[in-house]
Amino acid sequence: MSLAKKALDQGEGILRLTPTWVPRSFCVPGRRIKLHPDDYYALGGARGGIDERWFSSTTPAQNGPLTSKNEGLSHIAFEDGGKTELFLLKDAIADIGAQIIGDRLWNKYKSWPMYSKFFDNMGPLPHHIHPSDEFGALTGQNGKPEAYYFPPQVNNHGGDFPYTFFGIAPGTSKETILDCLKNFNKGDNKITNYSQAFRLQPGTGWDVPPGMLHAPGSLCTYEPQKASDIFAMYQSLVNEAIIPDELLWNATPKDRIGDYELLLEMIDWDLNVNPNLMDNHYMEPKPVQDIEKMHAAGYHESWICYRSHDYSAKELTVFPGQTVTITDNAAYGMIMMQGHGKMGAWDIETPALIRFGQLTHDEYFVSEKAAMAGVKITNHSKTDPIVMLKHFGPDNPDLKL
């Protein structure tokens, strides 16, 4: 029997995952993702600080020539005879994919086509873009839609700039943006002069389709997204830090570096200059069903990311002392935000502090079969709710867009 099958059987259809830490050389960590203060530079100063934790990931991080082996890829923890073996979620899905993610997704994608993450920056990110599938194909990558949710549990402070620039101000000409791109190496190319910023509110979120310029603010962000790490930075100076030229051309084929018109084409213009961005992309939580009925059963569950066909996400709260059985019609990954108790065969808990390399009991992957049968969750606290975030793949059958 394969390791993947043994692990799936041991967890009664639920796989235990290990923390996956990812650095970004162009970011300063916000220090809200529970990593030990001594470990934010565990991969060395040249790699930059660890400001991301990736969940349910079969997508390697694109971090340049210094990227370490399996960076960004989630591992499964399987305990056997007193020993803990670690192996890649990606390999388990390649081995017994339909048994983990279900026939619907396996037959269409032959892979797990999304992942989620925390990104946790002290300051804002540069105004940047994730190309569509059409432009991603130029470098052999998928395009990347993504969504944001700002969990209250990891946002005790807002960082240096809790505002996100989205899109391009209506009335801006393409020539103006083209000039900004051509001025990338002249210090500040001033591209956010032609955008609009929105104040970020914990407990809410945004949806960001490919081709949309965005400069994420400094809240710690839960981010479900399509399985890709493609991006191009269009802003040259952020928080007085210069963005290297290679990040402007990060999504461009080598033979077209220097083609500013291609960078302009990657922008979905109509999407960016829409004057009603908030109407189309802002998200407040939506209860999954009747609130009184859920509360009488001991829990509350809301859709938190629901504007895309490529992924969706829920926030589940189980009230103190309650036992509930939650069913979903799709496989999902999950991360604990608060509380402790039992989920199926597993202990679940929310660590306050994690050392780099330490194993935890806060992240799992629930197979489609287990999700459909119903996952039994018991809250062992008399005072503290269990709160978990659940990330789903494309075309969630329970989500009516």
Side-chain angles (χ1 to χ4, degrees), residues 368-391:
E368 184 188 80
K369 185 177 178 183
M372 293 176 77
V375 177
K376 183 180 177 183
I377 302 168
T378 299
N379 187 341
H380 287 164
S381 175
K382 293 177 181 175
T383 54
D384 201 22
I386 281 175
V387 182
M388 65 176 71
L389 304 180
K390 300 158 60 172
H391 25 277

Side-chain angles (χ1 to χ4, degrees), residues 287 289-301 317 319 322 324:
Q289 56 174 300
D290 180 73
I291 292 175
E292 287 185 9
K293 184 178 174 186
M294 289 190 290
H295 288 194
Y299 72 99
H300 183 95
E301 191 168 40
T317 300
F319 301 144
Q322 298 294 312
V324 300

Side-chain angles (χ1 to χ4, degrees), residues 144-214:
K144 190 171 85 156
E146 61 190 26
Y148 305 147
Y149 177 69
F150 312 115
Q153 293 88 351
V154 286
N155 280 298
N156 55 311
H157 69 86
D160 292 343
F161 192 80
Y163 306 83
T164 288
F165 287 97
F166 285 112
I168 298 167
T172 306
S173 70
K174 291 186 178 182
E175 289 71 26
T176 298
I177 299 301
L178 187 61
D179 286 344
C180 291
L181 296 173
K182 289 179 177 178
N183 289 333
F184 194 87
N185 288 317
K186 296 180 181 176
D188 183 1
N189 70 346
K190 298 184 170 68
I191 193 167
T192 53
N193 286 8
Y194 309 102
S195 184
Q196 47 191 332
F198 296 83
R199 185 180 177 187
L200 304 180
Q201 178 66 34
T204 70
W206 288 79
D207 198 65
V208 185
M212 183 165 158
L213 278 165
H214 55 293

Side-chain angles (χ1 to χ4, degrees), residues 313-364:
K314 292 177 176 180
E315 180 185 68
L316 172 65
T317 300
V318 180
F319 301 144
Q322 298 294 312
T323 295
V324 300
T325 298
I326 305 294
T327 57
D328 288 280
N329 286 303
Y332 58 92
M334 55 74 66
I335 176 70
M336 289 286 290
M337 299 305 300
Q338 189 173 343
H340 71 282
K342 196 91 174 168
M343 181 177 74
W346 293 105
D347 292 327
I348 51 173
E349 60 193 18
T350 311
L353 198 63
I354 308 168
R355 294 304 309 237
F356 184 83
Q358 177 188 337
L359 300 184
T360 58
H361 280 94
D362 67 342
E363 186 186 354
Y364 293 88

Side-chain angles (χ1 to χ4, degrees), residues 246-322:
E246 70 248 27
L247 294 182
L248 174 66
W249 303 105
N250 192 52
T252 305
K254 286 187 170 57
D255 63 345
R256 296 190 68 177
I257 288 175
D259 184 349
Y260 292 96
E261 296 281 353
L262 176 62
L263 299 180
L264 191 66
E265 283 176 40
M266 288 185 186
I267 301 171
D268 184 329
W269 196 260
D270 290 341
L271 179 71
N272 280 270
V273 298
N274 176 0
N276 300 315
L277 276 177
M278 197 159 185
D279 291 347
N280 297 325
H281 302 290
Y282 175 70
M283 294 181 291
E284 293 203 347
K286 293 186 173 183
V288 302
Q289 56 174 300
D290 180 73
I291 292 175
E292 287 185 9
K293 184 178 174 186
M294 289 190 290
H295 288 194
Y299 72 99
H300 183 95
E301 191 168 40
S302 293
W303 292 106
I304 52 173
C305 299
Y306 47 77
R307 288 188 180 272
S308 175
H309 288 281
D310 288 300
Y311 45 75
S312 55
K314 292 177 176 180
E315 180 185 68
L316 172 65
T317 300
V318 180
F319 301 144
Q322 298 294 312

